Amino acid sequence: MTNKLYDTSLSLLTDLYQVTMAYGYWKTKTAEKEAVFNLYFRKNPFNGGFTIACGLANVIGYIENFSFSKKDLRYLRILTGNDEKPLFEEAFLDYLANLKLTCDIEAIPEGTVVFPNEPLVRVRGPILQCQLLETPLLNLINFESLIATKAARLRLVVENDTLLEFGLRRAQGVDGGMTASRAAYIGGCDATSNVLAGKLYDIPVRGTHAHSWVMSFANEQEAFDAYAEVLPNNVILLVDTYDTLQGVRHAIETGRKLVKRGHKLAGIRLDSGDLAYLSIEARKLLDAAGFQDTAIVASNDLDETIISSLRQQGAKITVWGVGTKLVTAFDQPALGGVYKLAALRHERADQPDNNASAGKPSEEADNETTDGLAHQATGHRVTDHWEYKMKLSEQAIKISTPGIQQVRRFRDERGFMADMIYNLEGMDGSVSKSATMIDPLDFTKRRHFDAKQPHEDLLVPVFRSGKRVYDSPDIHTVRARVQTQLANLHPGVKRFVNPHTYPVGLEKGLHKLKTKLILTLREGQTQD
Amino acid sequence: MTNKLYDTSLSLLTDLYQVTMAYGYWKTKTAEKEAVFNLYFRKNPFNGGFTIACGLANVIGYIENFSFSKKDLRYLRILTGNDEKPLFEEAFLDYLANLKLTCDIEAIPEGTVVFPNEPLVRVRGPILQCQLLETPLLNLINFESLIATKAARLRLVVENDTLLEFGLRRAQGVDGGMTASRAAYIGGCDATSNVLAGKLYDIPVRGTHAHSWVMSFANEQEAFDAYAEVLPNNVILLVDTYDTLQGVRHAIETGRKLVKRGHKLAGIRLDSGDLAYLSIEARKLLDAAGFQDTAIVASNDLDETIISSLRQQGAKITVWGVGTKLVTAFDQPALGGVYKLAALRHERADQPDNNASAGKPSEEADNETTDGLAHQATGHRVTDHWEYKMKLSEQAIKISTPGIQQVRRFRDERGFMADMIYNLEGMDGSVSKSATMIDPLDFTKRRHFDAKQPHEDLLVPVFRSGKRVYDSPDIHTVRARVQTQLANLHPGVKRFVNPHTYPVGLEKGLHKLKTKLILTLREGQTQD
């Protein structure tokens, strides 16, 4: 991991079935078969209109440190099946001992705005290796993307106010806290209370005192005075231990002493009660006493909805401390990312394959049109080498999309227009061709993009044959990217209530490939 | 940490305000003042009637490894206040460099059934040290207790069926997954899919194959046959890649070949669709083919409610794989544990203290009665040494309870009767006295326990002057304890809908101490 939090090998941080499947591939001599897996999610979290990609830096760290230690193998050796005999042959453990990852990995950089069905990470390489990476990649990308998205939503609500992350004590474990602090900063927080995250990730840290400080003194005034005496350059006084407005008066008293000594009362903090009413009254008291520059900080189970409501009520709060609701993504604590096999190197070019699990696109697939990219998607020779793969489901949303996927984002002068998912093997890589994108919910709705339409391809090379070819930008650059990206999104997409759906579709050739494959698979079922 | 997952010092895994307060105590020469903090929660999670205490083993590991590294101090040295000057003096960093924890810590053992307001952990020692431990203790106890409770609820629903935890890919970070696997096993799961958790925590691991295995073969039958060939002693076939009941027929076909070779078809797994209908139909097919012993495993966003409903519908599922909903505690992803200052060693015995923050119980407090423990709670000499502390709030539930708290659990022949929180300094430690417990919601409701009533005190010594005096039981013993504990609870308390509230009250002396303190504090406010 890039965060140096772990010393143990994390190569066993995976589901057992990845290892049993790896064993299966090894035993059936298909371990080296080249596969392509796409990692994507199906729905934006929080009923929102967008998601922020995050977690790639940790993925890179994970992959760079991937190797099975002697202890890992000792553990695998003792696992048994239902006959109490070992699950794995010794030769397989030797294979794992010598395993070096050789995959090609492409990914969408951290801090990019992404949408359902877009591959955030694409892994291409020996199927055994791809399989072993499924669980850790999902774990790392799902959680950080979830939290970065939550923080980005909070940033949209607080606008130019200060946003602080205070969640460590309620986070889901040590790393739940650490990772959340990183992703929350990237998503738009200004600082964290988590000192270790500050140290390891270079995030600004903030904090002053808790109720216990006040309670440990004879009275509140003494407690405030003592704090200001000791840390005069960091004075934000928590005023609600006993009676909030009385607390504000005590803070003002302390503030006067601070000013005399050439310091300032940076802020007061409200942590309970009616934050709208109390902040308005506190503001009046502070202003009347000449403390117009003293900030009012609020905390207490805040989230987007509560902050939005407080702002609408005219609350005089300019610094928002958000904890539990942010670091656990309380209203949706998991992003449902999946990792699906999308293509296998086709090894039997002379055996036309029309059984239930494979769908090699045939020449006829392209009879309908011959224009543009669609033609390439099936007519190109390279395609013959790949068997496209997908999982069927009764629910359309659960049907995966085949192909070695890339995402092309088109833009105009107002910002992002639409994202087109296409099959790399069906594109020649040049931008000289026009493209047609099919609406995923209504295939008769199409958008045409000519060759001059500005665009960028979102997935960038991260590993080539197991070697890293990408440097993660520093965390502040990633954080800035989130805001630039969001500025390019139509406000309707960023709306919280019934957000506009940003257009994401399949390139026509990929759409046809997918449709053909579904029909082939369904036919396979009925014949079976 | 006992799980050896971390190599970095975790002493900075805390909120910055704990460090600034520590600095404040040090500067005001109160760092060594003896304090007592209680860690407790206010409400059972999931609208349930009980909680399972968990996380103590990790707390012990954390405390045993507590020390500030040179790197930690280097980081603290560069932190600045709003005038860009350092926050902390060099001499304070030297103090931290040499700091050894010397606290006494008592805790309720892992696997114990606990209830709101009961101290799960009590820390007594120099206030600076107590303060630094707040955030990590909350992080570790909150999350593991939450997940252990969730797993215990699932166990209640599945009864004697097998319960598997499959959550790693959707967990909140690496440690979110690791810690959840541990707590889920303790709470009642039989095994996990998480191999690293299996290795580090000695939890049984389970798993066979995913859809990608099936998709990587020419067809499902080939895929099943190959898996059974390779891992004949671990065959649970996932049958829903294309068409579920067709998949069951393919599995039966593979099963016949397995049987011929002297092995068995251990199970089939359903991961989508109408699990009630499909499991009933699958059971018929399996039974008709002679596979009465083949288990039906189900997964797919299961939780207590869905499993309960499936069982009521007569689903033929006996193995339940639960993932996201368990490891993220989806319906309530945080337990709101808090850590409150409850007493400070009273250093000014000659100064009667009646200001707003302190509440030394006076002799008059006991005028009302002189019976039993109540007398001791205020009349005992030891009490004179302690200043009792609490935080006020408009909401009664947020008012903390003062005292050096212990929990006495009374039982009768049917099981647990009631838990009484009492102030240790108000009890003489002997069981020769009768006790009166006050209902927290109606002080006129009281229960009397005579000296012969069987009981145990729940908090046990874990550290004495910073030295560990407690050995954590192994994980299997802790897991067994959960079931023994639950067996002692009235079924009404374990009910999910409107559970009966298990009686927890304050011992009469403590109740009076708290009441008196509230009145003193409120009076202090109005006079202020």
Side-chain angles (χ1 to χ4, degrees), chain A residues 410-459:
Chain A
F410 294 98
R411 55 182 306 157
D412 60 17
E413 63 292 347
R414 290 170 307 180
F416 303 152
M417 287 171 70
D419 290 1
M420 180 184 78
I421 302 170
Y422 67 94
N423 181 14
L424 262 190
E425 293 291 331
M427 297 277 276
D428 63 7
S430 86
V431 290
S432 64
K433 296 284 198 294
S434 65
T436 300
M437 177 175 117
I438 313 276
D439 186 300
L441 297 179
D442 178 355
F443 74 95
T444 63
K445 281 170 71 177
R446 294 162 186 227
R447 284 174 187 243
H448 299 279
F449 299 102
D450 73 24
K452 278 170 295 187
Q453 190 69 48
H455 66 261
E456 65 173 329
D457 282 354
L458 298 186
L459 288 104

Side-chain angles (χ1 to χ4, degrees), chain B residues 185-369:
Chain B
Y185 180 68
I186 286 174
C189 286
D190 293 294
T192 179
S193 67
N194 180 341
V195 187
L196 190 58
K199 175 187 155 195
L200 293 183
Y201 300 133
D202 189 25
I203 306 173
V205 290
R206 293 278 288 273
T208 55
H209 72 84
H211 296 115
S212 52
W213 175 266
V214 177
M215 291 156 73
S216 79
F217 281 81
N219 61 50
E220 195 176 49
Q221 191 69 64
E222 269 188 36
F224 287 175
D225 287 349
Y227 189 85
E229 184 78 29
V230 168
L231 278 150
N233 60 355
N234 185 44
V235 183
I236 296 176
L237 299 170
L238 176 59
V239 294
D240 73 335
T241 305
Y242 305 113
D243 174 276
T244 304
L245 294 179
Q246 199 67 288
V248 177
R249 292 186 193 98
H250 293 151
I252 288 170
E253 190 56 35
T254 300
R256 292 198 171 111
K257 296 171 195 165
L258 266 172
V259 169
K260 277 189 195 152
R261 292 187 290 126
H263 295 288
K264 67 175 184 178
L265 178 62
I268 61 163
R269 178 159 74 95
L270 309 172
D271 189 41
S272 60
D274 182 333
L275 298 177
Y277 166 78
L278 291 171
S279 67
I280 291 166
E281 294 304 311
R283 186 75 270 160
K284 286 183 200 162
L285 291 171
L286 288 166
D287 289 353
F291 289 93
Q292 288 86 351
D293 292 341
T294 296
I296 299 179
V297 184
S299 48
N300 189 22
D301 269 349
L302 300 177
D303 65 9
E304 304 96 294
T305 313
I306 296 171
I307 294 176
S308 180
S309 160
L310 286 169
R311 286 170 59 99
Q312 276 167 19
Q313 293 169 67
K316 297 295 185 188
I317 296 162
T318 56
V319 182
W320 305 87
V322 185
T324 314
K325 299 287 169 72
L326 167 56
V327 300
T328 66
F330 202 88
D331 50 334
Q332 187 192 317
L335 180 67
V338 295
Y339 179 88
K340 293 290 175 194
L341 177 63
L344 261 186
R345 195 66 133 170
H346 189 55
E347 292 166 342
R348 294 165 296 177
D350 52 338
Q351 285 181 20
D353 194 340
N354 60 359
N355 61 51
S357 76
K360 186 172 75 76
S362 62
E363 292 300 328
E364 312 91 87
D366 206 32
N367 283 350
E368 187 189 337
T369 70

Side-chain angles (χ1 to χ4, degrees), chain B residues 91-110:
Chain B
F92 172 66
L93 302 179
D94 291 344
Y95 178 87
L96 292 185
N98 297 311
L99 182 66
K100 296 270 174 287
L101 292 187
T102 58
C103 300
D104 288 353
I105 299 181
E106 332 277 322
I108 298 182
E110 291 191 296

Side-chain angles (χ1 to χ4, degrees), chain A residues 465-485:
Chain A
S465 305
K467 299 277 170 253
R468 184 164 59 82
V469 294
Y470 174 83
D471 284 322
S472 285
D474 70 70
I475 193 170
H476 313 292
T477 305
V478 175
R479 179 171 181 272
R481 178 177 175 84
V482 172
Q483 298 310 316
T484 317
Q485 289 269 308

Side-chain angles (χ1 to χ4, degrees), chain A residues 15-17 20 72 82-83 139 168 174-175 193 199 208 215 217-218 233 242 250 333 355 357 389 528, chain B residues 15-16 20 72 82-83 139 168-169 172 174-175 193 199 208 215 217-218 233 242 250 333 355 357 389 528:
Chain A
D15 292 305
L16 181 62
Y17 75 13
T20 53
D72 290 339
N82 52 31
D83 56 1
N139 176 283
L168 179 58
V174 171
D175 185 52
S193 67
K199 176 187 155 196
T208 55
M215 291 156 72
F217 282 80
N233 60 357
Y242 304 113
H250 293 151
N355 61 52
S357 77
K389 295 291 184 178
D528 198 19
Chain B
D15 293 304
L16 180 64
T20 53
D72 291 339
N82 51 32
D83 56 3
N139 176 283
L168 180 57
R169 64 187 57 197
Q172 298 209 341
V174 171
D175 185 52
S193 67
K199 175 187 155 195
T208 55
M215 291 156 73
F217 281 81
N233 60 355
Y242 305 113
H250 293 151
N355 61 51
S357 76
K389 294 291 183 177
D528 199 16

Side-chain angles (χ1 to χ4, degrees), chain B residues 363-401:
Chain B
E363 292 300 328
E364 312 91 87
D366 206 32
N367 283 350
E368 187 189 337
T369 70
T370 51
D371 64 311
L373 301 168
H375 177 73
Q376 299 170 32
T378 54
H380 201 272
R381 277 197 62 194
V382 176
T383 317
D384 292 336
H385 295 272
W386 290 97
E387 233 180 332
Y388 291 103
K389 294 291 183 177
M390 61 190 299
K391 183 194 171 311
L392 278 189
S393 173
E394 296 299 310
Q395 299 160 263
I397 195 178
K398 284 202 164 181
I399 297 181
S400 63
T401 299

